[in-house]
Amino acid sequence: MMLRNVQSNYSFLLLLVSIQCLLVIVFSTDHYNRADFPPGFVFGAGTSAYQVEGAAFEDGRTPSIWDTFAHAGFSGGANGDIACDLYHKYKEDVQLMAETGLEAYRFSISWSRLIPGGRGPVNPKGLQFYNNYIDELISQGIQPHVTLLHSDLPQVLEDEYGGWLSRKIVKDFTAYAEVCFKEFGDRVLYWTTINEANVFAIGGYDHGIIPPGRCSPPFGVNCSRGNSSTEPYIVVHNMLLAHSSTMKLYRRNYKSIQHGFVGFSIYGFWFVPYTHSVDDVNAAQRANEFYTGWIMNPLIFGDYPSVMKKAAGTRIPTFSKYEAKLVKGSVDFIGVNHYTTASVKDRSSSIQKNTRDFGADIEADISLEALAADQYPVIPSGLYEFLDYLKEAYGNPPIYIQENGQKTRRNGTLNDTARIEYLHAYIGSVLDAVRNGSDTRGYFAWSLLDGLELLGGYGLSYGLYYVDLDDKELTRYPKLSAYWYANFLKGKTSITSAEDKLPIYNL
């Protein structure tokens, strides 16, 4: 069911979607519904600023490192100049959220829209937009969850002192966060400082495949600047310091008044051994400590895992006693972005000892074919086991699943049964984890709209809603997954057997 001349054929396509909603779809034997989750558990969806806002050069906004990266030919050769034009269409999109039944919505603020110079004067137009956006969400009963940085550091700070490579970023990020707390904190209770810091550092400073595109041979792609051996460790260190400084500010000046919560986001790979051999089991454990412990250990215990410090040596920065105290316990919750599980094979005996980066330090081969595939394999046990790992290894911190979703090729189809299968399986795994004692408190499907994806541009689709880029109005169309999610949120039992059917909701 390909989208052709979508504006004129919308009524016909909507009819087809409605019919398809009644089709028999067999996925799982596990029955659950919205009421099975604990009181206070929230369901939502998410997007980020550069992926959907557009208006990149309007009303005082200045470029971010993602603008620069995209215009250099990365991000699938696409850019966010227009994207989904949410900047002008936010009321329409909030209405879609309400009709879908979203209880919460996660979005990010564009630092360079709010403070174009990176520091200093606030942009009145940017401030007005985010105030209006937040007010619109609240008017529809939707709880805003705000991320302060989602891969889009102001380019001016990158140019001035190297962005996250400099300790100067701690002061500037904290000041930016304070503007957000001051201006929006009377309505926003849930703040995530930095999105998936671990993958941002690896992708942006080791492999060079995401902004700002830094790396060094032989580790990265098209490396022209950077040092893959040291920079990922420096970047995460400065992110943790910026986050903990921000948390200190919030607790000192805003917590008692606004009663909000501040968290930190990680990309939650789950690594499993390639075989049952002791070497592969140990390699998988190392991979989990490197990707997850890299962030979680400082936040919970005040220092990096010993296996990382041993492998990286002087290449990984050290926390002073004051910094360790500041970082330890500096989260109210952890945001988890999880998409897939990867297998790990030991290669500690074959790796070169004289050339090291983050990946080499793990001394393992990690199978990441799923990331390059058109769709993720459906392995909900990986999310369950990851949540259990966080519970057992890190004292069961409050968790919000901030991103989880299925990718498909962006080919115009509204018939995304693969996405329904994925969401059904993974939401079920979250329920199982909660029943097993995990303090998981929310789930956000990624994503609300088909936007610009960091690695695939507009060639990949994650959205519950299709956005027709060939239509000057950028019209949104609900996919089958939007109907499925709406039905679930409105209390219908999830699709579980040949007898179950999807009632129709007019989104």
Side-chain angles (χ1 to χ4, degrees):
M1 185 174 62
M2 303 299 295
L3 230 50
R4 297 289 187 268
N5 191 19
V6 291
Q7 187 64 44
S8 60
N9 290 327
Y10 173 66
S11 297
F12 175 67
L13 285 168
L14 185 58
L15 175 62
L16 287 179
V17 171
S18 299
I19 293 171
Q20 297 236 22
C21 283
L22 294 173
L23 293 179
V24 173
I25 308 173
V26 181
F27 293 139
S28 168
T29 56
D30 295 332
H31 289 72
Y32 64 84
N33 59 45
R34 175 67 185 87
D36 291 325
F37 288 81
F41 192 100
V42 298
F43 280 95
T47 59
S48 81
Y50 191 68
Q51 294 178 270
V52 297
E53 279 185 7
F57 309 106
E58 292 185 36
D59 293 340
R61 183 186 180 275
T62 59
S64 72
I65 59 173
W66 199 339
D67 290 88
T68 304
F69 186 79
H71 280 274
F74 299 98
S75 288
N79 61 64
D81 292 359
I82 300 173
C84 302
D85 197 28
L86 180 141
Y87 186 77
H88 297 108
K89 297 172 73 70
Y90 70 91
K91 289 186 178 181
E92 175 185 333
D93 289 336
V94 172
Q95 186 61 37
L96 290 181
M97 299 175 208
E99 292 172 353
T100 308
L102 298 190
E103 301 155 7
Y105 176 63
R106 177 183 177 240
F107 66 99
S108 71
I109 289 173
S110 168
W111 185 347
S112 59
R113 190 185 298 283
L114 188 64
I115 307 175
R119 71 172 76 86
V122 174
N123 174 18
K125 293 283 189 178
L127 179 62
Q128 180 182 16
F129 168 69
Y130 288 113
N131 269 320
N132 291 344
Y133 195 8
I134 291 166
D135 288 346
E136 191 71 17
L137 288 166
I138 291 173
S139 73
Q140 295 289 346
I142 299 169
Q143 185 182 84
H145 286 233
V146 171
T147 299
L148 295 176
L149 189 84
H150 195 118
S151 303
D152 56 351
L153 181 77
Q155 183 65 43
V156 65
L157 299 183
E158 184 77 12
D159 294 339
E160 180 183 337
Y161 54 69
W164 288 108
L165 289 170
S166 171
R167 290 287 183 102
K168 293 180 180 179
I169 194 68
V170 174
K171 180 179 179 181
D172 286 341
F173 183 84
T174 305
Y176 158 58
E178 180 159 31
V179 170
C180 294
F181 297 151
K182 179 181 177 181
E183 299 292 347
F184 313 127
D186 58 329
R187 290 152 292 160
V188 175
L189 294 179
Y190 296 90
W191 301 94
T192 300
T193 52
I194 297 167
N195 183 67
E196 54 188 37
N198 49 354
V199 166
F200 175 82
I202 297 166
Y205 296 85
D206 189 348
H207 304 321
I209 57 174
I210 65 175
R214 296 178 63 91
C215 56
S216 60
F219 307 107
V221 178
N222 299 319
C223 302
S224 62
R225 57 190 181 139
N227 186 331
S228 296
S229 295
T230 59
E231 289 187 0
Y233 293 116
I234 294 169
V235 165
V236 163
H237 195 76
N238 289 335
M239 285 184 158
L240 289 168
L241 294 178
H243 162 80
S244 58
S245 171
T246 299
M247 174 59 100
K248 179 182 178 182
L249 168 77
Y250 188 81
R251 286 175 171 167
R252 183 181 67 230
N253 295 349
Y254 297 96
K255 180 77 170 179
S256 63
I257 301 168
Q258 298 178 353
H259 308 291
F261 306 90
V262 177
F264 196 84
S265 162
I266 63 172
Y267 190 101
F269 269 126
W270 180 239
F271 296 107
V272 296
Y274 184 74
T275 71
H276 295 299
S277 71
V278 172
D279 287 343
D280 286 356
V281 169
N282 289 338
Q285 177 61 29
R286 285 198 304 276
N288 284 320
E289 289 205 47
F290 267 76
Y291 275 84
T292 300
W294 190 15
I295 307 298
M296 293 298 299
N297 268 56
L299 293 175
I300 303 302
F301 305 123
D303 200 2
Y304 298 113
S306 58
V307 66
M308 290 190 76
K309 294 195 292 183
K310 179 180 179 181
T314 58
R315 290 180 290 116
I316 191 168
T318 58
F319 293 107
S320 68
K321 289 184 177 180
Y322 171 78
E323 290 168 346
K325 184 178 180 181
L326 192 68
V327 171
K328 182 179 179 180
S330 63
V331 284
D332 292 321
F333 65 87
I334 296 295
V336 168
N337 299 352
H338 176 88
Y339 291 94
T340 192
T341 297
S343 61
V344 179
K345 188 174 179 62
D346 176 71
R347 65 182 183 115
S348 56
S349 62
S350 62
I351 193 167
Q352 293 182 341
K353 303 297 183 181
N354 60 338
T355 306
R356 290 277 189 162
D357 72 333
F358 180 86
D361 287 341
I362 302 174
E363 298 186 342
D365 285 322
I366 298 175
S367 175
L368 298 177
E369 288 87 351
L371 294 182
D374 284 347
Q375 295 182 8
Y376 296 120
V378 180
I379 314 174
S381 60
L383 179 54
Y384 174 88
E385 291 170 8
F386 184 70
L387 294 175
D388 193 61
Y389 175 69
L390 294 177
K391 181 185 72 172
E392 296 299 329
Y394 299 105
N396 202 16
I399 300 290
Y400 288 88
I401 310 297
Q402 294 185 325
E403 293 184 23
N404 179 246
Q406 178 63 285
K407 66 176 176 179
T408 57
R409 298 307 303 175
R410 197 178 195 280
N411 55 15
T413 183
L414 301 179
N415 184 350
D416 62 341
T417 54
R419 184 164 290 106
I420 298 173
E421 177 184 0
Y422 183 100
L423 293 173
H424 172 262
Y426 280 83
I427 292 173
S429 73
V430 173
L431 178 59
D432 288 339
V434 169
R435 287 172 168 169
N436 192 43
S438 171
D439 191 11
T440 302
R441 300 183 181 186
Y443 175 94
F444 293 77
W446 186 265
S447 60
L448 179 73
L449 303 173
D450 282 341
L452 173 73
E453 290 301 326
L454 191 57
L455 298 179
Y458 295 107
L460 294 178
S461 161
Y462 284 82
L464 301 172
Y465 288 85
Y466 174 83
V467 180
D468 182 16
L469 300 179
D470 295 323
D471 174 7
K472 66 178 182 179
E473 300 298 325
L474 296 172
T475 305
R476 284 79 157 123
Y477 298 92
K479 302 177 189 177
L480 286 181
S481 57
Y483 287 92
W484 181 87
Y485 203 37
N487 284 318
F488 167 69
L489 295 177
K490 294 170 183 176
K492 302 298 179 181
T493 300
S494 63
I495 304 171
T496 54
S497 71
E499 289 74 32
D500 288 328
K501 297 180 176 63
L502 277 172
I504 300 303
Y505 284 93
N506 294 319
L507 298 179

